[in-house]
Amino acid sequence: MNRFGSTDPFIRNEREAWIVARADQLGAKFAERAPKHDLEGSFPFENFEDLKASGYLKLTVPESFGGEEASVYEMVLAQERLARGDGSTALAVGWHIGQMLQLRLSGAWPAPLFEKLCKDVVAEGVVMNELASEPETGSPSRGGRPETTARRVTGGWSITGRKTFSTLSPILKQFVVTAGMEHSEKVGAFLVRSGPGVKVEETWNTLGMRATGSHDVILEDVFVPDAEVIRGLDYEKPEEPVPTEGVLLHIPACYMGIAYAARNFAIDFARHHKPNSLTVPIAELPNIKRQIAQIEVDLLTARSYLYQTADRWDKEVENRASLKPELGLAKYIVTNAAVRIVDQAMRIVGGLSLSRNLPLERMYRDVRAGLHNPPMDDMVLTNLANRAIQEAADEGDE
């Protein structure tokens, strides 16, 4: 145990210990509710009331606007612990706190608009997400132009289209929508508020992560004033975009948390389960110890790389643009390790692991969603290969 009262080596100071303690308390509550929401595919409104009351929603909001101004490392700590209780809630709120951190780092929004959003988060518990996925384009990381369109009208823009994978849709009072701008090659981003022309169609009925509320959002001639256009108009912006990819570490943090919870459940089960054919619990059997060891190899390797990458992102401010391959690798290593860990946990527990009365069955389904969150495995591997080839070419030209 370290001097902050924890056995976790990645808790390095009192602030991090406090962030973890709050996430642990919330996660314990959410774990009790998770089976019901998973079974029903219902949105955990009460979880978000708890997140609001605890101050978790303002985790990455700047201190100047009443937030906690968490670093990427602190965000990863909080998200991993929250996901040990309920992966769906952790992933859903991760898009909100990641979005707030991205806006804080990038300065992409007009200052008055960002200040108003931050104050809404702090005072009212408003949550935020950017809706970019569409039925025809798939993941925005693949670069497809949105079919959602923005048409010029007096004083602003009229937005029409459909967004899929709209996480948090049941509680989004305001959100960003990407849209192709009519008669232009530009793709704009627009701040949309719930109201006339905005409809949530409850389409989310999936194998895993069933309680994220990632329904379709339909927009029909939704008016957005010029003052709430985020990208697409000609206003002064930095010549070089500020790197913000580090915020996506909230994704692997979530799946690491699910895997950690599955590991704990399997080990606890093995310590106490003693069939009448044995004189000792199954944890004493060599084959079970070997399976636990395989879990530990994946867990220790993946967690170490995740936290190392988050720490580098925070510290190497001038080097952030070149860390993109490492960020992708962290997601690749963690999500694939998490799948293996949960699978191994299922093998340790055996046939009982398939029961919906135990949490492993849900974790088994939830953890697989990580394979479909950005960045995708093939893109990560391609980026690593391209960098290696370029480095070899550069060395050969010297």
Side-chain angles (χ1 to χ4, degrees):
M1 185 172 290
N2 62 26
R3 59 196 175 95
F4 308 110
S6 175
T7 57
D8 190 339
F10 298 107
I11 297 175
R12 308 169 300 181
N13 54 55
E14 291 182 1
R15 174 177 159 96
E16 289 173 2
W18 176 81
I19 287 172
V20 161
R22 177 177 61 182
D24 281 342
Q25 290 170 2
L26 289 166
K29 286 184 181 180
F30 301 165
E32 295 177 1
R33 302 166 181 161
K36 178 177 182 292
H37 288 298
D38 175 71
L39 182 64
E40 297 174 351
S42 54
F43 189 78
F45 292 99
E46 68 275 38
N47 288 359
F48 280 83
E49 286 299 316
D50 287 339
L51 289 164
K52 174 183 174 180
S54 71
Y56 194 96
L57 296 178
K58 62 180 182 178
L59 179 69
T60 52
V61 171
E63 286 184 350
S64 57
F65 300 134
E68 296 173 7
E69 201 161 327
S71 64
V72 164
Y73 189 99
E74 291 168 337
M75 176 190 71
V76 167
L77 267 177
Q79 284 295 106
E80 188 202 342
R81 295 296 184 126
L82 202 65
R84 294 182 190 182
D86 179 16
S88 281
T89 297
L91 186 64
V93 76
W95 290 109
H96 161 73
I97 63 173
Q99 177 79 0
M100 297 306 299
L101 179 52
Q102 181 180 38
L103 296 177
R104 192 183 91 207
L105 293 172
S106 68
W109 280 30
L113 208 56
F114 180 55
E115 180 177 353
K116 175 67 166 59
L117 170 63
C118 290
K119 290 180 176 178
D120 286 346
V121 172
V122 172
E124 301 174 23
V126 163
V127 295
M128 169 59 60
N129 199 3
E130 179 168 319
L131 311 186
S133 296
E134 297 188 359
E136 299 302 320
T137 61
S139 171
S141 64
R142 299 291 185 182
R145 178 181 171 85
E147 295 203 346
T148 298
T149 58
R151 179 173 54 86
R152 197 69 163 110
V153 295
T154 302
W157 297 81
S158 177
I159 315 295
T160 297
R162 175 188 286 262
K163 295 297 182 179
T164 58
F165 299 103
S166 303
T167 301
L168 296 171
S169 61
I171 56 172
L172 289 176
K173 295 180 179 178
Q174 51 185 296
F175 49 92
V176 174
V177 165
T178 55
M181 304 177 81
E182 197 174 50
H183 308 307
S184 169
E185 294 300 314
K186 288 184 177 181
V187 173
F190 304 82
L191 179 60
V192 173
R193 302 180 188 277
S194 60
V198 177
K199 182 176 73 171
V200 175
E201 187 174 306
E202 295 192 358
T203 54
W204 191 244
N205 184 19
T206 57
L207 175 75
M209 291 297 185
R210 289 174 50 77
T212 59
S214 302
H215 303 297
D216 286 10
V217 172
I218 301 169
L219 304 105
E220 297 180 357
D221 292 321
V222 178
F223 177 72
V224 176
D226 282 333
E228 296 187 352
V229 177
I230 309 304
R231 297 190 300 273
L233 292 183
D234 296 323
Y235 59 84
E236 187 176 350
K237 290 180 66 63
E239 291 184 7
E240 293 294 330
V242 178
T244 61
E245 292 88 352
V247 307
L248 288 177
L249 289 181
H250 79 83
I251 296 171
C254 174
Y255 295 103
M256 194 77 268
I258 296 170
Y260 200 101
R263 171 255 196 191
N264 285 358
F265 183 90
I267 292 175
D268 189 62
F269 178 89
R271 288 178 56 243
H272 295 95
H273 184 57
K274 187 175 73 171
N276 63 10
S277 58
L278 297 176
T279 58
V280 295
I282 64 170
E284 298 300 317
L285 300 179
N287 64 310
I288 298 295
K289 286 186 176 181
R290 183 166 56 252
Q291 289 174 308
I292 292 172
Q294 289 171 338
I295 286 177
E296 294 303 278
V297 168
D298 271 330
L299 184 80
L300 293 171
T301 302
R303 283 193 89 219
S304 295
Y305 194 81
L306 175 62
Y307 282 100
Q308 170 194 302
T309 305
D311 189 46
R312 286 190 64 193
W313 171 270
D314 288 335
K315 291 178 178 177
E316 299 178 23
V317 178
E318 301 302 318
N319 191 41
R320 284 176 177 172
S322 64
L323 285 176
K324 186 174 180 178
E326 277 78 8
L327 295 166
L329 181 57
K331 191 267 180 176
Y332 175 89
I333 288 174
V334 170
T335 52
N336 284 281
V339 168
R340 292 193 298 270
I341 289 167
V342 180
D343 181 74
Q344 200 67 254
M346 297 277 284
R347 292 168 187 259
I348 291 170
V349 175
L352 286 173
S353 66
L354 300 174
S355 171
R356 287 202 165 185
N357 294 324
L358 300 181
L360 275 184
E361 180 268 346
R362 183 182 73 254
M363 295 170 182
Y364 184 82
R365 289 182 286 105
D366 281 351
V367 79
R368 274 153 178 75
L371 302 176
H372 306 285
N373 288 139
M376 306 307 179
D377 284 4
D378 64 316
M379 296 183 71
V380 171
L381 296 176
T382 297
N383 287 339
L384 289 170
N386 288 341
R387 185 175 69 171
I389 293 167
Q390 186 59 53
E391 288 174 350
D394 292 343
E395 290 175 2
D397 293 339
E398 289 179 359

